[in-house]
Amino acid sequence: MATPEEFEAAAARSKELPAKPDNTTLLKMYSLYKQGSEGDVSGERPGGFDFKAIAKYDAWAGQKGKTQDDARQEYVDFVNSLF
């Protein structure tokens, strides 16, 4: 399992990617980071025409039930795979 330090180092490293990832990759990174740092999604799903917020909520909700430890490890592995 990734340590909290490895998790935060991967988060910092993700800002140094050579090219901006596509939206699918960004949503996966976001959802794994949120699941790893906060756990299952909380609050209500955004409504209206805020499509970005809806996509982010849905991506995070897709990680529901995954442990924070598993999400942190998957996040670290995923970020490392982008280099």
Side-chain angles (χ1 to χ4, degrees), residues 8-46:
E8 291 305 323
R13 190 170 184 226
S14 72
K15 294 171 179 38
E16 301 169 359
L17 292 170
K20 183 179 179 188
D22 61 34
N23 286 339
T24 303
T25 301
L26 288 171
L27 284 171
K28 183 172 181 177
M29 289 170 55
Y30 173 82
S31 66
L32 287 170
Y33 182 83
K34 293 294 275 185
Q35 188 71 17
S37 60
E38 297 182 31
D40 287 343
V41 68
S42 60
E44 293 188 22
R45 184 177 188 259

Side-chain angles (χ1 to χ4, degrees), residues 44-61:
E44 293 188 22
R45 184 177 188 259
F49 294 100
D50 191 351
F51 300 115
K52 183 176 179 181
I54 292 168
K56 290 169 83 172
Y57 182 93
D58 289 348
W60 185 7

